[in-house]
Every structure is written in C-alpha cells, then in structure tokens.
Amino acid sequence: MPERVGFVGLGAIGTPMARHVARAFATVVWNRTAVRAKQFAEAHGAQAATDLEDLVADCTVVITCLPTSREVAEVIAAASGAWRRGQLLIDATSGDPAGSRRNAATLAGYGADFVDAPVSGGTSGAERGTLTVMLGGSDEAVERARRYVQPYARTVEHVGPVGAGHALKAVNNALLALNIVAAGEGLAALVKLGVPAQRAVDVINASSGRSNVTEHLIPERVITRAWPRTFSAALLDKDLGVALAVLEDAGVTSELYPAVKRFYAEARKALDAGADHVEVVQRIEAAAGVEIR
Ligand code: NDP
C-alpha cells in the first residue's frame, strides 16, 4: 500500500498547506465541517475521511493545523483506537508548549511520535509554499518530519525538544503584535502632524525601525484600506496568551507583553469574531481621530 499522509484542519492556512502536501503525497483529509474536506478532495485529488479514526488508521503520518493544542488533544482522543507504533503526528497548529508535551505523552502511550511544527509566513506564504517551519521534538522524529513539511516550506529549523517550536512561534507572534500596535500608534501621530503615511513607512523602511509590519502590513492593508481577513485577531490574541505563559515559565518579567496582550484582548471584544489581526489598527485610528493613509 502506498504511504498516505493525513491532513486535519482545512482552515485559512491549513487549506493552502494541504494543497502542497496533496501534490507531493497520497493525502487523506479531514475537517470538522465535512463539506470543506469533500470539496478539497474533489479539487485536489485527495481522499476525504468521514471520521478521524479512519484517517489515522489509513495514514502513517498525520499533520494537524487547528486553532490551539486543545483541539489537537481532542483530535488525538477522537482517533484513540487507531494510533499505533511507528506513526508520527506533525502539529502545525500554533499551539502551546505544555499542551504539546501532554499531546506527545498521550501519543507516546500508543508508541507514536509527536513533533510540534508551527509555521510563519501567512496565508500568502502558504500559497507560495515558502513558510518557515519551527520543529520541536527528538532528533529522530524531527528528521523524519522534514520531508512532510518541505512541500509548503522554504525554511525548516529544528529548534529544540517537544514544545520548543510552539514557544518560538508564540514569541515570534508576540513580536508581530507588538510591532502592529507600535507602528499603528506612531503612524497615527505622524499623520496627524502632516506626514503622509506612505512617506513615513518608506523612510522607516530605509531606517532602523522597519519590520514586516512597516514593510508589508501597513502599506498593503492599512494605507490601501484593503483590510483583508487572513489571520484572525482572536488567534493572535491566543498566541499572546501563549507567549505570556512562555515568559512566565522561564521566569522572565515583561513590561510590554502584558500591555499588548491587554490591548488585543480589549480589541477582540470590540471587533467582530472574524476580524483580522491588523484591524486593531482601526481602534488606534478611531481613538486618535485620524486614518493612517
Ligand atoms: P481557521 O480559523 O481559519 O481554521 C481553523 C481550522 O480548525 C478549521 O479547519 C476548523 O474547522 C478547525 N477547527 C476549529 N475548531 C475545531 C475543533 N474543535 N475540532 C476540530 N477542528 C476544529 O484558522 P487558521 O487556518 O488561520 O489557523 C490554524 C492555525 O494556524 C492556528 O493555530 C493559527 O494560529 C495558525 N496560523 C495561522 C496563520 C494565518 O495566517 N491564518 C499564520 C500562521 C499560523 P471548521 O472548518 O469546521 O471551522
């Protein structure tokens, strides 16, 4: 029987990742809203599993891309009769290190391996197959995981034991959130002082304050007023919670992370459920009485 790879979670980023996987391997997909799995299977020559136990029974390697480690634990439990020795779960969720260690321990009970493998690069990076993948796990499991994440990745790094990938991803996303708020507040002030937003970011991008936020998110989403919905504010708020726990566990005191976490938690309550992570800038604009353009 040819090797089959399972992919669980066809959301905003899971779908383009799964497309690359389906081009490289015989792929079986499962999604909570089953119609998405059916449509994906028809469009990309994959198979749609009707239940998780069937998917896990059919596949030696399973990739998950779900909101949090909690849903990953639910998926592991839902297929409890099918996990067996020699299987590998590659968790592309932006999960949390403690949850990953628990999920790894559950799988170890069945003789299966776990690697945390969160991604960075957004839905556009997933479409292009240029994501960065942060792998946490044993040397052996990580080496095995590489060929399954390669179809959607440009950079694949083994960063430490189980949970290290999720810790690094949380810190990365906290930096993203910090940069969004800092750029939004600074640019609101500059625009009020008469500096056009595009000119301001052009100068910042030729200077030491540049970041992905000033190079891409502000010019492509805020100044254009396009506000595409690719990565929800709710998910970034979740990542900030994970980052706070990572710092706390490490015994590192922070001034900035709790402040940005509070900002996102408040913004999330005020925005609608599907709001994108960049839409928090609209709150900064409203409070300042200015549009960043
Ligand atoms: P979405 O909200 O678009 O998709 C979530 C996926 O999880 C859907 O397939 C959804 O199924 C499924 N799901 C939700 N709850 C459950 C549950 N209880 N049981 C089973 N399946 C469930 O999220 P994204 O695709 O944007 O994000 C997925 C992960 O990737 C998150 O951890 C996120 O932080 C991370 N990430 C996202 C990026 C992005 O740009 N979007 C960038 C980098 C990382 P259903 O279709 O039924 O709703």
Side-chain angles (χ1 to χ4, degrees):
M1 196 167 70
E3 179 188 40
R4 277 189 285 213
V5 175
F7 200 103
V8 175
L10 299 171
I13 196 154
T15 300
M17 289 163 64
R19 255 184 240 135
H20 290 285
V21 173
R23 266 186 228 128
F25 301 100
T27 300
V28 183
V29 294
W30 181 90
N31 193 66
R32 180 181 62 176
T33 306
V35 65
R36 286 194 182 162
K38 194 166 169 283
Q39 283 166 355
F40 181 95
E42 281 164 8
H44 303 289
Q47 220 180 302
T50 43
D51 74 62
L52 280 162
E53 209 146 80
D54 288 348
L55 179 140
V56 173
D58 273 0
C59 301
T60 44
V61 172
V62 177
I63 302 173
T64 42
C65 189
L66 298 168
T68 73
S69 295
R70 192 161 14 99
E71 288 80 23
V72 178
E74 287 168 13
V75 161
I76 293 170
S80 60
W83 295 104
R84 59 196 181 276
R85 184 159 298 284
Q87 280 179 309
L88 172 65
L89 175 63
I90 299 172
D91 184 19
T93 304
S94 297
D96 67 275
S100 297
R101 287 191 288 270
R102 281 194 297 275
N103 288 336
T106 305
L107 287 170
Y110 302 111
D113 261 325
F114 174 96
V115 166
D116 42 315
V119 299
S120 184
T123 52
S124 59
E127 297 283 352
R128 290 192 301 268
T130 58
L131 293 174
T132 295
V133 183
M134 310 161 199
L135 297 171
S138 68
D139 289 349
E140 201 185 26
V142 162
E143 282 318 303
R144 187 173 167 209
R146 283 183 188 278
R147 72 186 279 260
Y148 303 99
V149 303
Q150 203 59 62
Y152 52 76
R154 181 162 60 199
T155 303
V156 181
E157 288 289 339
H158 183 189
V159 300
V162 168
H166 283 154
L168 177 46
K169 169 65 183 173
V171 170
N172 176 78
N173 277 27
L175 295 178
L176 166 67
L178 287 159
N179 278 322
I180 289 171
V181 178
E185 291 176 350
L187 286 166
L190 290 171
V191 171
K192 285 186 97 167
L193 293 171
V195 184
Q198 187 61 53
R199 190 159 314 155
V201 288
D202 285 346
V203 174
I204 289 168
N205 291 336
S207 306
S208 49
R210 70 186 173 278
S211 67
N212 179 57
V213 173
T214 56
E215 287 179 335
H216 295 289
L217 298 183
I218 298 286
E220 292 164 16
R221 297 176 177 221
V222 177
I223 295 175
T224 58
R225 317 308 287 172
W227 309 109
R229 292 187 161 183
T230 62
F231 174 46
S232 71
L235 286 174
L236 187 50
D237 182 43
K238 172 263 301 181
D239 293 334
L240 284 161
V242 177
L244 279 181
V246 167
L247 266 65
E248 200 179 305
D249 285 353
V252 173
T253 320
S254 169
E255 298 289 331
L256 289 179
Y257 284 43
V260 175
K261 170 71 179 117
R262 274 195 304 278
F263 178 92
Y264 261 88
E266 284 299 312
R268 199 182 140 177
K269 270 189 252 156
L271 294 165
D272 69 87
D276 187 74
H277 66 304
V278 180
E279 286 178 53
V280 300
V281 173
Q282 291 172 4
R283 282 175 59 80
I284 296 169
E285 292 182 325
V290 70
E291 281 189 356
I292 297 170
R293 42 159 120 220

